Amino acid sequence: MRLRCAVLDDFQQVATELADWSPVADRVDAVSFAEHFDTEDALASALHDFDIVVTLRERVAFPASLLARLPRLKLLVASGMRNSVIDYAAAEAHGVTVCGTASTSTPPVELTWALLLGLARGIVEESNSLRSGGPWQQTVGADLHGRRLGLLGLGRIGSRVARVGTAFGMHVSAWSQNLTKEYADEVGVELAASKEELLAGSDYVSVHLALGERTRGLLGPAELALLKPTAYLINTSRAAIVDQDALLAALHEGRIAGAGIDVFDIEPLPADHPMRTAPRLLATPHLGYVSRANYETYYREAVEDIRAFLDGAPVRRLG
């Protein structure tokens, strides 16, 4: 009997174009969904008759309650090798194998700089004005050279962002709860004395921390109040690290110069979400991992995962 595979959140409809599905075509029918299912009921209904599901990053949660409603599900493939929204114990209990794929940190590094530069030089505002016949020059760009870039997190992504900042001639400093001076020296950045010192002294602050109990709500009203009124905040990591209400208040009240945000408390954002209309905000719809090379890896290795599972030797197992 042929198996059915659902590919979730294929917004661009490229899942079957960027990878060769022929290795499993004789055993699997792949169906991609361009629409996002935002409730458990909608997911349970859409996926009820599927044996395999391919999901992007942590966009869709698979808690025990949902897994219990998917009686045919035998294989769940998630892009990346880390996923905090899958209940692995429940998956095992229901006989569901969970596998991952490789993922590169290059796209979020590049997007971080796209947002930072776009904010600093007023790119969107000036481009829109030029194209609509508006004023010729209406902003004065903020400089990068000689300014301080403060990084919250200096892991795979943060360390690469740091090197670009150094190339721009910025003074780069970093802080995280486990960051040591030895590693900061190795990367070539200054270890900030504290989170508070980094926030108060930086012209640009970029978030590159994993979400966990210690980082959830790490930047709340008190922390955002430490930022200079000329400072910019960039978050391409996880929305929950920054208090969304506090950030909106800071933007509306002009207490910071601006923010570049790629991650949100609800995704996709509802049409009436206040982040869609906030001032001083350059926002993108979670594009951090969305690049051709990354997608080619995700879907190529998803096909490999499916083939290996069907052959009885699953690879890249998670959980």
Side-chain angles (χ1 to χ4, degrees):
M1 184 179 70
R2 295 179 64 80
L3 303 181
R4 302 188 73 214
C5 172
V7 181
L8 296 181
D9 292 334
D10 186 14
F11 299 129
Q12 300 93 347
Q13 292 285 274
V14 295
T16 57
E17 296 177 12
L18 296 181
D20 178 11
W21 287 71
S22 63
V24 297
D26 60 334
R27 292 180 282 179
V28 175
D29 293 319
V31 179
S32 71
F33 292 92
E35 71 274 23
H36 177 72
F37 301 110
D38 57 4
T39 68
E40 184 175 302
D41 285 344
L43 277 165
S45 176
L47 302 179
H48 188 267
D49 295 326
F50 284 91
D51 309 277
I52 303 166
V53 172
V54 176
T55 183
L56 273 178
R57 304 298 294 152
E58 296 170 321
R59 187 174 301 281
V60 176
F62 283 84
S65 55
L66 175 59
L67 291 166
R69 300 171 70 178
L70 303 177
R72 283 183 52 171
L73 184 63
K74 295 303 177 187
L75 175 64
L76 176 59
V77 179
S79 58
M81 290 301 292
R82 181 176 62 187
N83 194 301
S84 64
V85 297
I86 295 173
D87 188 325
Y88 295 108
E92 183 177 5
H94 288 284
V96 178
T97 299
V98 184
C99 297
T101 73
S103 182
T104 174
S105 60
T106 298
V109 171
E110 295 172 350
L111 184 69
T112 294
W113 282 102
L115 290 171
L116 193 154
L117 288 164
L119 281 168
R121 299 305 297 270
I123 299 297
V124 174
E125 185 177 357
E126 294 288 3
S127 176
N128 288 342
S129 181
L130 184 148
R131 293 169 62 86
S132 64
W136 183 264
Q137 297 184 4
Q138 54 185 328
T139 63
V140 177
D143 296 285
L144 273 61
H145 188 274
R147 301 303 189 266
R148 187 180 184 194
L149 171 63
L151 301 175
L152 290 167
L154 198 64
R156 284 191 310 150
I157 296 174
S159 60
R160 296 180 68 178
V161 170
R163 294 185 178 102
V164 177
T166 300
F168 272 117
M170 304 181 78
H171 302 297
V172 184
S173 61
W175 176 90
S176 71
Q177 290 167 322
N178 296 324
L179 182 60
T180 65
K181 186 177 186 305
E182 290 73 20
Y183 183 68
D185 289 344
E186 181 182 329
V187 176
V189 306
E190 175 189 356
L191 175 63
S194 65
K195 173 184 64 177
E196 290 74 18
E197 189 272 335
L198 180 139
L199 294 172
S202 296
D203 300 290
Y204 301 88
V205 173
S206 192
V207 180
H208 301 289
L209 294 164
L211 179 62
E213 290 307 311
R214 294 193 302 174
T215 59
R216 187 179 299 275
L218 186 73
L219 299 187
E223 288 78 17
L224 293 178
L226 296 173
L227 293 172
K228 302 176 183 179
T230 54
Y232 296 92
L233 175 67
I234 315 295
N235 188 7
T236 57
S237 182
R238 291 292 183 269
I241 295 172
V242 181
D243 184 308
Q244 301 292 281
D245 291 336
L247 175 59
L248 283 167
L251 292 169
H252 279 284
E253 295 166 16
R255 288 189 275 110
I256 60 175
I261 303 298
D262 186 50
V263 288
F264 306 92
D265 54 354
I266 303 172
E267 295 185 8
L269 277 180
D272 60 350
H273 195 285
M275 278 289 185
R276 287 188 179 267
T277 55
R280 304 176 182 84
L281 178 65
L282 177 55
T284 48
H286 205 153
L287 299 179
Y289 60 87
V290 181
S291 77
R292 178 169 292 274
N294 233 12
Y295 269 33
E296 287 174 346
T297 298
Y298 289 167
Y299 293 122
R300 182 184 68 253
E301 295 198 358
V303 173
E304 293 173 2
D305 288 350
I306 294 169
R307 184 177 186 179
F309 173 79
L310 295 177
D311 290 342
V315 295
R316 291 185 287 267
R317 297 188 67 162
L318 302 181

